[in-house]
Amino acid sequence: MLKIFKNTSMIYIVLIILSGCNVLESPTSLIKPPKLGQDQAALMNAVQAVLPAGVKLLSPVEKGDASPFSLIDLDRDHKDEAVIFYYDAVKNTGIKGLIFIEKNGIWHLDQTFSGLGIELFDLQFADVTGDEKLEIIAGYANGVLEKGLNIYEWQQGSIKTLFDTAYSQFAVDDLNQDGLKEITILLVNRGVSAVVTTYLYSQNEFIALDPMLLDEFGSYENVISGFVTNERRGLVLDIQVGAHAAYTEVLLLENNQLQKASEEMENLTWKDYPVHSEDVDLDGIIEIGKLIRPVGFENESYASTPYITGYYQWSDNDELKLKVQRFYEYQKGFYFEFPKEWNNLLTIERSDDEQEISFVTINGGELIFDVISVPVEEWKSNENTFELGRTNEYVFAMSVDNSELYTYFHLL
């Protein structure tokens, strides 16, 4: 059933008020010249001229250290507009967005618009209305778990809000593969409800498809969308349901109805800890992560097990095909990717002081690769080891004389 979307600004405001005031950390910066080229000096001057004193320029939390300046061709006229967000902590009036346009080498402020909260959590640009122009899709946060999503439609001289809702995570993707991207919203109130809803744009409004109920006790660690097979796009959710329990769910949009890709997915993807699904091998298809206990560690505690991470592609006949295996050492900051010919053939040995990790064959114990971690201040190069890389704390080396394997070592 299709449902007409109604404005939920007041719902989001209530969620913010009821949820407290713990502030999220994010990459914000006081107004100062960003690292732009000389040709953007005029833009920086135009921005500084209109911003109130002491405000913070906002970068999207989800984008890490991204610039607070987004230069993008919103109206597809082959000229970039500049989209900028800021927060005025003194006036505490919420987030403000600015759109600048450039004419004859001079940047002008075209539109100002408002957002909820104090943090810009996510920012995307996509055509979700089918007009071949890009909408501004902004996720805001107020220092609490609930967040608010706004979609803005801009054309020179005007801007309007097309859609707003509370959300926990969202995806912008053409899940039904009809040529137009949809908005899919996951809203979680842990222990009470977890609901995912896809919205289609039709006849100048967003229409909600029937919502799908998910595991209300799960912690949704990662939500991404994209191809899940060679031909199908889907939504992939990595869910933790206990201290040592997690699984991955895959959702498809069939006949404009969200449904599980397989009733066996939970069993197929069960793992001790969540692993973020991603397109690890860059073939355009999302791989699902699983944790593998190395041979010899079957009775080891969860905390001391050196898990191997496997990344698998799902097929619609309910099979998982192994694509990549890696060993991650997060504390020291590196990972080793198994050569494909050694997938499922290696286990791990480690020294008593855990400075050396060795990858050996399950049958025979032949050493294939090793990583020796030495504190920087203790490192001494010698002819028996080859330096793989270093961080501020460690130098990483190997003793195996096989230069073809060097490229399988990576710093995190």
Side-chain angles (χ1 to χ4, degrees):
M1 175 185 292
L2 299 182
K3 299 178 181 178
I4 302 299
F5 172 77
K6 297 183 179 180
N7 188 293
T8 58
S9 294
M10 290 307 298
I11 294 175
Y12 175 56
I13 293 170
V14 170
L15 285 171
I16 292 296
I17 293 172
L18 293 177
S19 301
C21 56
N22 294 325
V23 178
L24 290 169
E25 298 283 338
S26 79
T28 57
S29 60
L30 291 174
I31 176 66
K32 62 179 68 173
K35 293 181 179 179
L36 299 174
Q38 290 184 349
D39 57 336
Q40 300 302 333
L43 171 60
M44 189 63 219
N45 291 335
V47 173
Q48 289 179 318
V50 302
L51 284 179
V55 302
K56 294 180 179 179
L57 293 180
L58 301 179
S59 299
V61 173
E62 290 284 90
K63 301 297 190 299
D65 60 354
S67 168
F69 287 68
S70 296
L71 297 175
I72 189 162
D73 183 8
L74 294 173
D75 55 4
R76 304 295 179 91
D77 65 350
H78 306 293
K79 293 178 65 177
D80 282 345
E81 287 73 43
V83 182
I84 299 151
F85 292 84
Y86 73 88
Y87 174 67
D88 189 336
V90 176
K91 294 183 179 179
N92 194 26
T93 53
I95 289 177
K96 299 294 182 183
L98 308 173
I99 299 177
F100 286 81
I101 60 175
E102 184 265 334
K103 292 183 179 179
N104 301 319
I106 300 175
W107 287 92
H108 305 271
L109 176 63
D110 182 76
Q111 291 296 310
T112 300
F113 57 98
S114 298
L116 297 169
I118 61 175
E119 298 287 358
L120 178 65
F121 200 82
D122 200 355
L123 179 63
Q124 299 184 32
F125 304 92
D127 178 14
V128 292
T129 63
D131 64 356
E132 299 186 353
K133 299 177 182 179
L134 300 182
E135 281 71 53
I136 302 168
I137 305 169
Y140 303 113
N142 200 46
V144 292
L145 293 177
E146 291 82 8
K147 301 185 286 286
L149 184 75
N150 279 21
I151 300 178
Y152 306 94
E153 182 181 68
W154 172 84
Q155 59 183 359
Q156 190 170 327
S158 68
I159 189 168
K160 63 180 179 180
T161 301
L162 297 179
F163 179 87
D164 63 280
T165 186
Y167 82 101
S168 300
Q169 300 203 47
F170 74 93
V172 181
D173 206 317
D174 182 12
L175 296 180
N176 61 7
Q177 296 174 252
D178 66 350
L180 181 62
K181 292 181 178 179
E182 306 89 34
I183 304 294
T184 300
I185 301 294
L186 172 67
L187 185 60
V188 180
N189 183 2
R190 194 168 182 189
V192 178
S193 64
V195 182
V196 60
T197 308
T198 294
Y199 296 86
L200 310 178
Y201 191 79
S202 178
Q203 298 181 344
N204 298 317
E205 59 190 339
F206 282 94
I207 299 175
L209 304 180
D210 284 341
M212 182 177 184
L213 299 180
L214 299 177
D215 187 346
E216 68 270 24
F217 296 103
S219 174
Y220 291 78
E221 302 294 314
N222 180 49
V223 177
I224 60 171
S225 63
F227 278 102
V228 294
T229 70
N230 286 322
E231 299 178 348
R232 299 298 310 274
R233 301 186 72 86
L235 191 69
V236 182
L237 307 96
D238 299 313
I239 310 164
Q240 184 167 5
V241 291
H244 307 294
Y247 67 97
T248 297
E249 194 66 84
V250 178
L251 305 182
L252 303 175
L253 191 59
E254 297 275 12
N255 299 317
N256 284 342
Q257 179 72 52
L258 281 171
Q259 63 182 43
K260 292 182 179 181
S262 169
E263 293 299 328
E264 296 299 317
M265 193 65 68
E266 182 175 333
N267 292 331
L268 286 170
T269 63
W270 193 262
K271 62 209 89 175
D272 291 341
Y273 298 102
V275 179
H276 283 201
S277 300
E278 57 181 307
D279 180 13
V280 174
D281 58 359
L282 303 180
D283 65 348
I285 302 173
I286 296 170
E287 282 80 43
I288 296 170
K290 293 183 67 176
L291 295 177
I292 305 161
R293 281 180 175 266
V295 171
F297 290 87
E298 292 83 1
N299 298 319
E300 198 82 9
S301 68
Y302 292 107
S304 60
T305 299
Y307 289 97
I308 295 170
T309 303
Y311 292 94
Y312 301 79
Q313 279 185 7
W314 173 75
S315 62
D316 50 17
N317 60 352
D318 275 348
E319 293 182 355
L320 293 179
K321 179 182 179 181
L322 178 64
K323 301 288 288 187
V324 175
Q325 278 190 330
R326 291 175 177 174
F327 171 77
Y328 287 95
E329 174 51 86
Y330 292 104
Q331 289 185 336
K332 294 181 179 177
F334 73 86
Y335 73 88
F336 173 67
E337 183 166 316
F338 292 13
K340 285 190 176 181
E341 61 269 25
W342 290 107
N343 280 347
N344 288 330
L345 299 178
L346 301 181
T347 188
I348 290 173
E349 294 180 354
R350 57 189 177 190
S351 61
D352 291 339
D353 61 6
E354 298 192 3
Q355 282 198 340
E356 183 174 3
I357 296 287
S358 300
F359 302 90
V360 302
T361 58
I362 294 173
N363 295 321
E366 178 189 354
L367 177 62
I368 301 300
F369 190 82
D370 62 348
V371 180
I372 304 166
S373 307
V374 182
V376 170
E377 62 274 12
E378 299 176 15
W379 168 250
K380 294 180 181 179
S381 61
N382 65 76
E383 61 183 15
N384 296 319
T385 59
F386 174 80
E387 184 176 332
L388 296 166
R390 61 173 63 202
T391 63
N392 292 333
E393 295 183 70
Y394 293 98
V395 176
F396 303 106
M398 65 179 288
S399 66
V400 177
D401 186 15
N402 186 342
S403 59
E404 293 182 0
L405 294 176
Y406 296 166
T407 57
Y408 291 92
F409 173 88
H410 303 270
L411 296 174
L412 290 172

